[in-house]
Amino acid sequence: MIYEQSRSGRQATAQTNFEMPALPDIPQELLREQPAGLPEVSEMQAVRHYTRLSQKNFSIDTHFYPLGSCTMKYNPRACNSLASLPGFLSRHPLAPDTHSQGFMACMHELQEILKHVTGMHAVSLSPAAGAQGEFAGVAMIRAYHDARGDDARTEILVPDAAHGTNPASAVMCGYKAREIPTGQDGDIDLEALKEVLGPQTAGIMLTNPSTVGVFERRIKEIAGLVHDAGGLLYYDGANLNAILGKVRPGDMGFDVIHMNLHKTFSTPHGGGGPGAGPVGVSQRLEPYLPVPMVDFDGSDYVWLTEKERSDTIGRLSAFAGNAGVLLRAYVYARLLGREGMHRVAEFSSLNANYLLKRLMEAGFDAAYPERRASHEFILTLKKQAKELGVNTMDFAKRMLDYGVHAPTTYFPLLVPECLLVEPTETEAKEDLDDFVEIMKTIKQEAETQPELVKQAPHTMPVRRLDDVRAARELDLAWKGQE
Amino acid sequence: MIYEQSRSGRQATAQTNFEMPALPDIPQELLREQPAGLPEVSEMQAVRHYTRLSQKNFSIDTHFYPLGSCTMKYNPRACNSLASLPGFLSRHPLAPDTHSQGFMACMHELQEILKHVTGMHAVSLSPAAGAQGEFAGVAMIRAYHDARGDDARTEILVPDAAHGTNPASAVMCGYKAREIPTGQDGDIDLEALKEVLGPQTAGIMLTNPSTVGVFERRIKEIAGLVHDAGGLLYYDGANLNAILGKVRPGDMGFDVIHMNLHKTFSTPHGGGGPGAGPVGVSQRLEPYLPVPMVDFDGSDYVWLTEKERSDTIGRLSAFAGNAGVLLRAYVYARLLGREGMHRVAEFSSLNANYLLKRLMEAGFDAAYPERRASHEFILTLKKQAKELGVNTMDFAKRMLDYGVHAPTTYFPLLVPECLLVEPTETEAKEDLDDFVEIMKTIKQEAETQPELVKQAPHTMPVRRLDDVRAARELDLAWKGQE
Amino acid sequence: MPFIPHTEEDIQEMLTAIGVDSIDALFDEIPDELRCGELDEIPAGMPEMEVSRLMQGRARQDGQPLCFLGAGAYDHHIPAAVWQLTTRGEFYTAYTPYQAEASQGTLQLLYEYQSMMTALTGMDVSNASLYDGASALAEAVLMAVRGNRKSKSGRILVPRTLHPLYRRVTHSIVRNQGIELVEIDYDSESGQVDLSSLEQHAGEDFAALVIPQPNFFGVLENTDRLTDWAHANGMLAIAVVNPLAMSILKPAGEWGESGADICCGEGQPMGAPLASGGPYFGFLCCREKLVRQMPGRIIGKTVDLDGKPGYALTLQAREQHIRRSKATSNICTNQGLMVTAATIHMAIMGGEGLQRVAAACHANTKKLAQTLCDLPQVESPFTGPVFHEQVLRLPLAAKDALRALAAHNVLGGFDLSDDYPELENAILVCATELRSDEEIEQYRSKLERVIAAQVQTPCQLKPDW
Amino acid sequence: MPFIPHTEEDIQEMLTAIGVDSIDALFDEIPDELRCGELDEIPAGMPEMEVSRLMQGRARQDGQPLCFLGAGAYDHHIPAAVWQLTTRGEFYTAYTPYQAEASQGTLQLLYEYQSMMTALTGMDVSNASLYDGASALAEAVLMAVRGNRKSKSGRILVPRTLHPLYRRVTHSIVRNQGIELVEIDYDSESGQVDLSSLEQHAGEDFAALVIPQPNFFGVLENTDRLTDWAHANGMLAIAVVNPLAMSILKPAGEWGESGADICCGEGQPMGAPLASGGPYFGFLCCREKLVRQMPGRIIGKTVDLDGKPGYALTLQAREQHIRRSKATSNICTNQGLMVTAATIHMAIMGGEGLQRVAAACHANTKKLAQTLCDLPQVESPFTGPVFHEQVLRLPLAAKDALRALAAHNVLGGFDLSDDYPELENAILVCATELRSDEEIEQYRSKLERVIAAQVQTPCQLKPDW
Ligand SMILES: Cc1ncc(COP(=O)(O)O)c(C=O)c1O
Ligand SMILES: Cc1ncc(COP(=O)(O)O)c(C=O)c1O
């Protein structure tokens, strides 16, 4: 803890080696009495502390990280350095257009690239992450219905396998979220869908390939059904990596899509963010896109704001969203180009299908053994849990000991004891082969020394943590030396 | 090993995603047949490999590193970022003066600062490290004698405690290095010195405080004796940290000095370099300074080269030395300013004397118990080695297990079983106290479980390495999978 | 193939293992008519060297004008150490810390962040970030509506002294849930919330009162009084604060008799570069009793099997991945890396260091305002004390003045005339600790010229320079 | 107190523990008359924010002219990953790896570097770096004098096609040991070593012949023939090569019948930015039989107590810290961090990647030379094949032309007239892979104007622009 190194009066004075001006004109009752209780450390102590702390993390730069639905692929270092050029870092968000053409050119071109690669009619870059993109998308669906006076639509449909943000975003927009079941084969249960569709249906939120890792084959039929019922189709783009340059959501019939640039466009996840969740729309939703957007008027790039776009659902952050993330995505898109984008889907699918095949050969059960994997797939360790008493969480924790970040566990909820595995296209075959060996080893350990696995991890900075205590005896901030 | 991840045909193609032009005009017999056998890896593999490799190092940013004579103090991060501004990184070394005034201003001011802080008459920045500074210094001594036709001087005197570079540099300049003994109290044996001084004496190389960690009290007397014999005095500035802003080598009577900017001016050591070893001289050696140097002609900064300075000992590197290191030192000097420089000596001495005192209380033997420590001090573990069979190397290796880099061991050679400890001014008292506790613990372990210490380290990426085998069965380059 | 490590041999072996002939066969479940073509509209890939050239040109193109513009994004010095550490791969390329044991670096850092934010704001708990300051306010509003059990109206009192963009964002986000923002005017003399407009709503049903400190005019509100008024009228008090200002001002947790209930704001001044407006981060703190209403990640300290301290995501039952449609918010990915930078920034600066910076900003802004007010017909319309921004009224249209200054490479401030037409030719200026005396003088002399040009030859107003 | 963590309380406790009253008392062994004063000539300290402003201004001041200048330092693309990794604290702030077990990161990396350099040069062994290319040649010369037991003369044959600065540096370093560099002329047609001048020394006692590839004129030498000639005459062959050129050219280890004996050069093209000339690094490789004559650090692979592979400094008996006055050199600190960058650079580029870059440099330089030679009276005096530099002769004084180009923000090349007056108005130009067609055209059009101005109004030659 940095606070444990704090000593009263210590300071990193290379930063503040100047006189403290007085504040004579601020009334005393508005001032604080004591400096805030921040740590008092030297610059070196801070550097040493956070350097060492960082070493306690798994990350793409240090470990294979096949976290399903998260697309943890290599984050090119050029994206970081080019988005961090002094000219970009020092640009004030409210700088006039005369001092913004370079930045705006990047944004406009990114809008165009995203439009083409998704097959949508228009794109706004402003949502700060996937969930905010979802919010924007559903809000646009609502604005569309409202504009037509079609205001009895109260429900958004979401598959039971959907990511939690989907129903939560629907609710943020004032809708009820209604679940529809997934069929045995991983596709949506079409009969169930037909039953719930009706005049109360505002739309449906789908991921395709779905979060169970397979391509929804009857997507055109679904689109027809929903549209016929007067609803719109929302595409959760978290899994775009699986189809980039191969199939376009616009061509599948979707009306609105968000993209997780921190997944498909490989901007870093930063230990929790920031991301970027641009939204693309079909023609009929275009008026409602969130502002600001960038337009090109033939000679200059110009901002489109509430003024120019009166039907917009509005503004979702004070300025233009996570600009630095968007710049990173833009650099990535230019590095890859169209050929590179095709290859993303190809090689992420190759890696996933290869890994699935090898794991099945090694005796693991696929949740959907008859299906092609997309860029990810689900294993179910039901058998192991039942026969050996070693569950998915145990497997996951043991993987850490072998230097691999665990895949996503217990999501989607409908598959018991599941592991959602997404190797991504940037991992080499050797790493996949190593992963198979590790899974085999853990399986063997589970058979012969189950306690070893159930007590895992053993080599991390901490052993398994007491989550119950964390929630029950809340300790959310340093309160001083105990 | 990066080579173990290599696969034929693999490439980090974001770098080389362009056509390979033909080379029709280069005769076949001058071309190579195969691409060089470098590793063939993806960019991510390289990033992951070198990130993980780095984590196997101790460093200032991660560990207390009290390596005596090396001044391992905090390397301010601002020095790195400001020396790496695009304008500095892209400047060609042969750019004309019209495109160099910003850089040259920094160099000129650094020359001035170094002049004032050492009390010398003039400074040249070009030597690339301490040893090259020594070479330059001794070469200037030689040039001085030669210019006066005083060419029978064949010897450079060096104390037996001197750093190895001192005698080696003397030899590089065509001199014989003659050792003079250190007295019981750590000062030079003055009688012995008198005996060896004579018409063959070209000069003497001293460090003050000396490498045994104490201030040579009779320096003025020594200077008088050497000068009277017609010799010159060389100051090895490796220990300048101890006296920065307190005493100046110029005032002590030295004719020439080199400074290790990678020590006293806190430029990083980079796992072995680069450093910078500027030289300062008294008036009589001024004509011989190595080129290039920067001068200010009243309106512009200009380079001084062989042309302007015909008596120079010449050029030591193709361009102007380690410019980027010099920029870092310049930034450091401006951050500290004169007050900051005074404090360097004060607090490095405070830390050293405190640590020495506490270790003596803990039962360790100082090599020079009657003397003040300078910024470093020597312990001798003679007693422990004899009584417990646990030697200095064992202590050093065991320290690694406790997360502290070992002090310098077995240097200087004249003190048996010695540890040369230099805490530097940037370490907090707590870290010194921790160090004392660690030393106590190891002492106790040595008494009760000596094997534990003799087998140390136990927690590093490797256990103790077989140095004999390394030298006997030379394996100096990857020869392919065994 | 940029970033794809597969050799021809690998590909063949993998296809054989899968049992297909070609990579294309892996897409055989996708109906043919859906397959897209070559995407010719997307440019061809470029090597890093060429993209670098392109981006360097773009970055240079925008110049680096002298910045006296604040309005929610501030030009502060960031210690060099901050981003050199933040971009270390282990922070930069990690995911959200779902596997706690393999993410103690991020988790401990976030716990430290929470500790620092509660220290700075005087609140009990902090979450681990939201998207930005404006959306954090929207979440605070939703939280207040859920948390104020006494209020049924879904109405919130929002002063016009709050940043206009924050008002718009909050409206965009909360309106679909039927929440209404009711505006209160400001006192045209002091530039603070107009207490009489406020008093008109006494006794009405509002879930919360929003209290900005400093307000959008840079003016300091009488936060004690506003907080107590809110509480007396059954409302929660939502503080929207500048975290740097908090280093010298009374923390929100100590406002009035019992302190604000929720405190949120824009984290940018803590280590985030201006960077075109993002990524920044929103912070959100509250009283312990409201913690279960909080949106976003929260990190708790706990122990491992050996009783050793460790850190983990906690209270996840508030979040969408557990509670789905009943979650406190839809937020998932937040702004972790910005929080990493902020934590390191705050650790290096310390409480007193931040005070020095805050005081320097204050002094510079005072100096700037005084210097400019020495020009003819430039005046400061408000009397309330300010932090580091100040409203000035000019003798020409704000738009024209700012455009002319920009042509001189000076960002002269924020044009208030769209949002506050009643203030006439008013701009909001800011001089952070980075602005030197010479730069302030540069602004003065350029503004002087702009004013002179305006007075003499009004036709030249449309700048053709 | 910048970078000093001591609190007042710490200081008092420490002084008490030591048993002195004041910090000043710690200097009581230093004679009073030696104590210096306040050092008023040194400027006062400045906060990081102000030093940043100062340095940003200085860096901007020098512009970023368009670079067609090589002459030993080349403007190459460096993958962004290289320096982001190299400046990680664990590499950047470590010392020389004296404690092997706590330095396996640096040690393994250096071993990898040695492996890559031997692969690139075709030599048996490599050290872990010297200061720069020029001083590496000086060390190679000293090594050859020690290593060539048959030669007693201490004389070295050095062609005039070798970089003039390298000749000067080598002279400065070796002359004090009585070593003599004897120059051989070049063939005025081909721009290569003049074989007849060489032949004049056949049978004489020289320790070594220095063979540059490419040579300073950018021209490729007939390295097979030169190497064989050296060996036939009892000399060692010292190759001085550009490591990027080595990626496409026959490696020094394969020159002639038995290969060069020592191969050295400037490592800058492998990941080091131009940066005003340093830090770069010198590399030095040799035949196994000469390894004990090598200066500098060498890393060896070995095993630990468990038989696990590990890396350590080896053959330290060559070095000053062990052998003192009998060491192979005085070098101690080398250029480790630059080697770190180079290793990562080479790993990312790969052998084929480097070939592409080298070939692109070659093609660009050919294009540049052809484009410029289309201008009236611009011609290329040498016929020998070049790598990525070429000599051009201009119709005006090289100095004037280059000064005029610089005023147009173009670094037009290296002025050869001081070192090779016989070449008259000659310059050495270079176009690396970074130079685009537009930039080449920019050079052409500016040179065209410079030439035209010269021809029409010779009085304008001294540029007042
Ligand atoms: C399927 C799916 N949808 C939506 C999201 C939400 O995206 P974000 O975390 O960027 O808000 C995610 C990622 O977490 C996801 O995996
Ligand atoms: C006392 C002393 N002199 C000289 C040197 C040589 O300096 P460098 O390593 O920079 O060549 C050193 C450092 O290694 C040293 O400690």
Side-chain angles (χ1 to χ4, degrees), chain A residues 451-467:
Chain A
E451 280 312 305
L452 181 70
V453 184
K454 283 155 81 171
Q455 298 269 319
H458 303 276
T459 61
M460 295 292 103
V462 290
R463 297 185 60 201
R464 223 178 277 192
L465 290 166
D466 187 344
D467 286 332

Side-chain angles (χ1 to χ4, degrees), chain B residues 335-477:
Chain B
L335 285 167
L336 254 58
R338 52 174 173 269
E339 324 83 327
M341 297 206 191
H342 289 299
R343 287 193 292 250
V344 165
E346 290 175 358
F347 287 87
S348 62
S349 299
L350 180 64
N351 274 3
N353 281 283
Y354 173 74
L355 189 55
L356 172 59
K357 191 62 174 239
R358 297 252 0 240
L359 286 167
M360 286 171 70
E361 282 167 14
F364 288 95
D365 296 327
Y368 300 97
E370 303 303 318
R371 301 292 303 270
R372 277 281 176 244
S374 61
H375 66 320
E376 62 188 357
F377 58 86
I378 302 184
L379 296 183
T380 169
L381 304 182
K382 215 167 38 182
K383 206 171 64 192
Q384 286 78 6
K386 202 165 141 208
E387 290 173 8
L388 309 169
V390 174
N391 66 18
T392 297
M393 187 55 73
D394 301 328
F395 259 80
K397 296 298 181 195
R398 185 63 180 149
M399 268 181 234
L400 306 180
D401 285 331
Y402 287 105
V404 166
H405 194 282
T408 301
T409 54
Y410 299 103
F411 174 83
L413 305 171
L414 72 153
V415 183
E417 296 294 335
C418 71
L419 277 178
L420 178 58
V421 186
E422 181 182 5
T424 87
E425 73 276 13
T426 62
E427 294 294 331
K429 175 171 175 294
E430 302 97 280
D431 297 303
L432 308 182
D433 292 338
D434 287 350
F435 184 80
V436 174
E437 292 312 310
I438 290 167
M439 287 291 284
K440 284 195 209 164
T441 305
I442 299 176
K443 189 150 141 292
Q444 204 165 29
E445 288 174 347
E447 286 158 9
T448 56
Q449 5 173 14
E451 281 310 305
L452 181 70
V453 183
K454 283 155 82 172
Q455 299 270 318
H458 303 277
T459 59
M460 295 293 103
V462 291
R463 296 185 59 200
R464 223 179 276 193
L465 290 166
D466 186 344
D467 286 331
V468 174
R469 172 175 158 146
R472 199 173 302 152
E473 300 173 30
L474 282 183
D475 176 351
L476 309 179

Side-chain angles (χ1 to χ4, degrees), chain A residues 7-18 42-45 51 54-55 61 74 77-81, chain D residues 1-10 45-50 79-82 84-85 88-90 348:
Chain A
R7 293 292 176 276
S8 173
R10 188 172 284 165
Q11 256 194 73
T13 39
Q15 303 306 330
T16 51
N17 199 10
F18 53 83
S42 75
E43 187 171 313
M44 182 175 79
Q45 287 180 309
T51 301
S54 78
Q55 294 182 343
D61 277 8
Y74 175 57
R77 282 278 153 184
C79 302
N80 181 44
S81 52
Chain D
M1 299 191 293
F3 314 124
I4 293 179
H6 300 64
T7 65
E8 264 316 310
E9 204 180 317
D10 289 339
M46 297 199 288
E48 183 181 310
M49 161 179 95
E50 282 176 32
V82 171
Q84 291 185 43
L85 292 171
R88 283 174 60 81
E90 299 95 320
I348 290 178

Side-chain angles (χ1 to χ4, degrees), chain C residues 238 351 363 394 414:
Chain C
I238 300 176
L394 304 180
F414 182 83

